[in-house]
Amino acid sequence: MTTNHHPQPAPGSGPRRKRQIFDATLRALARDGFASMTIEGIAEESGVNKTTIYRWWPSKSALLGAAMIDAPLLELPMPDTGDLRGDLEQLVDNLIKLLTGQPSGSVARAVLGAALGDAGLATYIRDFFADRLAREQAVVDRAVERGELPPGTDTMLLMDLLAGAVWLRAVFRRLPLDEDFARRTVAAVLDGVRVA
């Protein structure tokens, strides 16, 4: 995906304490909100000089964008169960754990709030979701190879339907998700809900 913002450091590059910087960034976002979090506060919390942060990320939007993609707190493991239905159910379960667990759930909700409230962050949010979609593509590619999905399946639509159900139920409606939610959601998407 082409964007017109500053390029991110290559994977494996960056300041020596990148992990601490990213963790401090996400904690500050969840605690203070995007508008109130500062590079100075993140530098102090992570134990680095603020000039180190500015050398790698020219703005707090750029820093948050990098943290969202690379910080383990928002990592969503991509399953490989050998079966499309199993992969999708595990993926939905992993997303449920991310959105309802702590501190990951608070951070994810804060990222959503930041995205809605700051136009300058929009490009970095798109980069985050493009990164996630690229990782999810392997699940669909394997299913196509096994003959479980037709070639040309719209991966984004499939993942939006599944993830949208989790976000809407857990974050917007703030309703509990029972143990069977992933199975029922995947069945509704793959099999439909009409009487055959």
Side-chain angles (χ1 to χ4, degrees):
M1 174 177 188
T2 303
T3 57
N4 55 13
H5 62 273
H6 294 281
Q8 296 296 311
S13 70
R16 192 168 34 91
R17 302 193 67 192
K18 183 165 71 168
R19 168 79 184 268
Q20 289 89 338
I21 294 168
F22 286 170
D23 288 347
T25 301
L26 295 178
R27 282 193 305 270
L29 175 69
R31 181 184 62 240
D32 305 329
F34 183 71
S36 297
M37 66 183 257
T38 65
I39 296 288
E40 291 76 11
I42 292 165
E44 183 177 338
E45 186 171 340
S46 61
V48 301
N49 192 302
K50 68 180 181 181
T51 57
T52 299
I53 294 177
Y54 280 118
R55 187 177 307 124
W56 291 95
W57 303 282
S59 67
K60 67 180 182 179
S61 294
L63 175 57
L64 178 57
M68 285 167 27
I69 291 173
D70 288 341
L73 185 62
L74 295 179
E75 184 66 35
L76 190 64
M78 290 298 120
D80 186 1
T81 66
D83 168 73
L84 174 64
R85 192 173 301 268
D87 285 351
L88 295 179
E89 288 176 5
Q90 186 62 58
L91 191 59
V92 170
D93 270 333
N94 291 345
L95 183 58
I96 289 169
K97 289 173 186 159
L98 181 100
L99 292 179
T100 60
Q102 290 303 330
S104 58
S106 294
V107 169
R109 288 188 294 278
V111 166
L112 176 65
L116 296 174
D118 187 276
L121 193 55
T123 298
Y124 298 100
I125 299 293
R126 282 195 301 271
D127 288 349
F128 171 76
F129 283 110
D131 174 77
R132 291 305 182 261
L133 187 62
R135 297 178 194 199
E136 294 160 349
Q137 185 65 47
V139 171
V140 171
D141 289 345
R142 288 192 304 265
V144 169
E145 288 171 14
R146 291 189 300 256
E148 296 172 295
L149 287 174
T153 293
D154 187 337
T155 302
M156 185 183 295
L157 177 61
L158 177 62
M159 296 306 171
D160 284 354
L161 289 169
L162 295 170
V166 179
W167 273 90
L168 189 62
R169 184 72 58 96
V171 176
F172 293 100
R173 292 187 175 164
R174 295 190 175 261
L175 294 173
L177 296 139
D178 60 54
E179 287 184 15
D180 204 33
F181 185 81
R183 186 198 61 76
R184 291 185 295 110
T185 302
V186 171
V189 170
L190 292 184
D191 305 330
V193 293
R194 292 188 329 171
V195 174

